[in-house]
Amino acid sequence: MTRNATMSITITTELGLGFRILELPEHIVFDILTRLPVKSVFACRCVCKTLRDLLLDPHFAKLHLTRAPTALILHQRLSWSIHLYLPDVANDTLSWYSSSSYSDHHRDRCYDALPKQDVYFLMPDCKAALINSCNGFLCLYNSSRRHPVYCLCNPVLGEYVALPPPPPSTVDHTYLDYSAFGFSPKTGQYKIIRFVLSLAGAVFVEVHTLGSESWRNVGEAPPPRHPKSFDPFVNGALHWITTTGGTTSGLICICSFDVEDERIRQIPPPAHFDFDYAGKVGWINVGVLGGCLCLCYVFDGVSFEVWVMKDYGVKESWSKKFVIEIQSYCGLQLGEVHRPIGFLENGDMWMICHSDPLVLLVSYRPGTRSFKEICGIKSSIEAIPHIPSFASLKNEVIGKNLQVKDVKPGKALRF
């Protein structure tokens, strides 16, 4: 299509008046495009060469990322492959149920027709796990004892790259099944951390910087209390829950790993988290709500609480965001299999709930104290918050032996 032909593309206003979008100043066209949802961007790419070039500009990808709403990645294990779904959870077409009206018959429905981006990768085995998402890139881990592999991918563009493998577990050193993926805004570097237990009982952190050839031991660290945080990256640092003495009965602590300087620090918990209170806290994890560090936990088996640290690092800034009484919690019993996985910009909380024979994705709206089923799948799934991005791994990966590969939606590729 020629430049003259593209000038006929029009936008119709609410008054019924039409104008040619490409007659607008380029910076205005650019601003409009960065506010479009993912599917609309793909559609615009096919309209003409002018729009395609604008949408392939790396600056477009960076600006679109800052404006894109938080979505969700569902990881479904099927046979020898893993499927990554990007469902449209922002729509409000599914019914909301108050805690009093929610009942078992609502759990029988499986929303397989949800709009989604489907990318799957063929694995050497079925042990691949989601680590977390950062700036539109997903980190995956294949936990093969002999050949462990970390992989970064962009499911929107269908790109992935396998990273240099970390040292495999041995008799002397064992991986603790906890990894995290983050980004340093100052240096522009992406890094992955993982925890390793030595034969002597010491726990230390190994770090890989994207583009480097190896993993580095950066010293000892308090071990994580749980396998993973549901959304651990905020304020340029990765976070996890630990306890004094490395046991579940000690005082609850929050630790952070600064992605830039690679230092491990402690973040003060709420003031009421003394030994007596900590003894009544069941499941607990750290995440991000509204750009702030938050704690989600079960207290005394009767309530689920969410606390937010409004000023990062300031102990006095912790405040209670909301509480859910467990007896009205969708008729479910909270535990490891019923856990939060992230928050929307409006404060809605997503949870994974196991309700035989389905694994449910449920959303809770604090303002109305109501619940909504997003989907139900008859197989094991994981889910993490994810912001869809058009940033290409080819612009981020620099390494002698690293190769970014493409996989089209619905197609499989080994790594």
Side-chain angles (χ1 to χ4, degrees), residues 28-314:
I28 295 180
V29 176
F30 199 84
D31 183 71
I32 293 172
L33 295 175
T34 58
R35 300 176 188 276
L36 296 178
V38 171
K39 290 185 178 181
S40 298
V41 172
F42 276 119
C44 289
R45 279 186 175 187
C46 302
V47 172
C48 65
K49 185 177 183 299
T50 301
L51 285 179
R52 185 196 66 188
D53 292 344
L54 284 175
L55 296 171
L56 291 177
D57 188 324
H59 179 60
F60 165 81
K62 291 181 180 180
L63 187 55
H64 187 274
L65 182 68
T66 64
R67 295 173 172 176
T70 301
L72 195 72
I73 282 288
L74 296 182
H75 167 203
Q76 184 179 15
R77 298 180 183 181
L78 295 173
S79 184
W80 295 99
S81 65
I82 60 172
H83 286 236
L84 300 177
Y85 296 103
L86 186 62
D88 181 13
V89 298
N91 73 77
D92 206 30
T93 58
L94 301 180
S95 300
W96 285 87
Y97 304 101
S98 67
S99 57
S100 60
S101 66
Y102 196 97
S103 59
D104 288 345
H105 77 275
H106 293 307
R107 305 177 200 168
D108 296 332
R109 295 178 301 197
C110 191
Y111 298 104
D112 291 328
L114 280 174
K116 56 184 177 288
Q117 179 87 6
D118 179 7
V119 178
Y120 67 94
F121 301 89
L122 195 61
M123 307 292 294
D125 54 47
C126 217
K127 297 180 180 179
L130 287 179
I131 301 301
N132 62 284
S133 170
C134 182
N135 291 348
F137 298 138
L138 289 177
C139 183
L140 296 162
Y141 177 63
N142 181 350
S143 58
S144 169
R145 180 181 176 88
R146 297 183 61 184
H147 303 288
V149 177
Y150 284 88
C151 166
L152 296 184
C153 72
N154 184 332
V156 171
L157 297 184
E159 298 177 341
Y160 88 96
V161 58
L163 304 180
S169 295
T170 65
V171 175
D172 297 329
H173 297 86
T174 304
Y175 172 55
L176 285 183
D177 196 25
Y178 185 104
S179 302
F181 170 55
F183 172 75
S184 171
K186 293 183 179 179
T187 64
Q189 293 179 317
Y190 288 90
K191 298 181 182 181
I192 299 173
I193 67 171
R194 70 184 217 137
F195 289 77
V196 178
L197 174 67
S198 70
L199 183 62
V203 176
F204 56 90
V205 174
E206 291 181 341
V207 178
H208 173 76
T209 301
L210 185 61
S212 68
E213 300 296 321
S214 62
W215 291 72
R216 297 174 288 109
N217 184 338
V218 296
E220 292 189 27
R225 175 169 166 154
H226 293 291
K228 65 170 67 176
S229 300
F230 60 83
D231 192 9
F233 183 69
V234 67
N235 203 55
L238 296 162
H239 299 80
W240 66 95
I241 295 293
T242 186
T243 49
T244 55
T247 65
T248 57
S249 59
L251 184 63
I252 293 171
C253 303
I254 306 171
C255 284
S256 70
F257 175 85
D258 191 294
V259 178
E260 180 187 358
D261 63 21
E262 299 184 353
R263 294 185 61 184
I264 296 169
R265 300 178 174 89
Q266 284 200 2
I267 305 298
H272 61 278
F273 267 65
D274 55 22
F275 277 100
D276 291 338
Y277 191 90
K280 298 180 180 179
V281 170
W283 185 94
I284 181 171
N285 220 330
V286 64
V288 180
L289 172 56
C292 298
L293 191 69
C294 74
L295 282 176
C296 300
Y297 61 90
V298 177
F299 179 70
D300 206 21
V302 298
S303 64
F304 176 85
E305 298 189 6
V306 175
W307 287 69
V308 173
M309 181 180 251
K310 294 183 178 180
D311 298 319
Y312 185 81
V314 179

Side-chain angles (χ1 to χ4, degrees), residues 297-348:
Y297 61 90
V298 177
F299 179 70
D300 206 21
V302 298
S303 64
F304 176 85
E305 298 189 6
V306 175
W307 287 69
V308 173
M309 181 180 251
K310 294 183 178 180
D311 298 319
Y312 185 81
V314 179
K315 187 181 185 73
E316 293 74 21
S317 70
W318 283 104
S319 63
K320 186 185 295 185
K321 192 67 176 180
F322 63 87
V323 178
I324 304 175
E325 298 302 324
I326 291 181
Q327 63 181 358
S328 64
Y329 191 86
C330 291
L332 301 172
Q333 295 298 313
L334 278 179
E336 289 289 341
V337 294
H338 307 126
R339 55 184 174 82
I341 54 176
F343 294 87
L344 283 171
E345 284 80 0
N346 63 4
D348 289 359

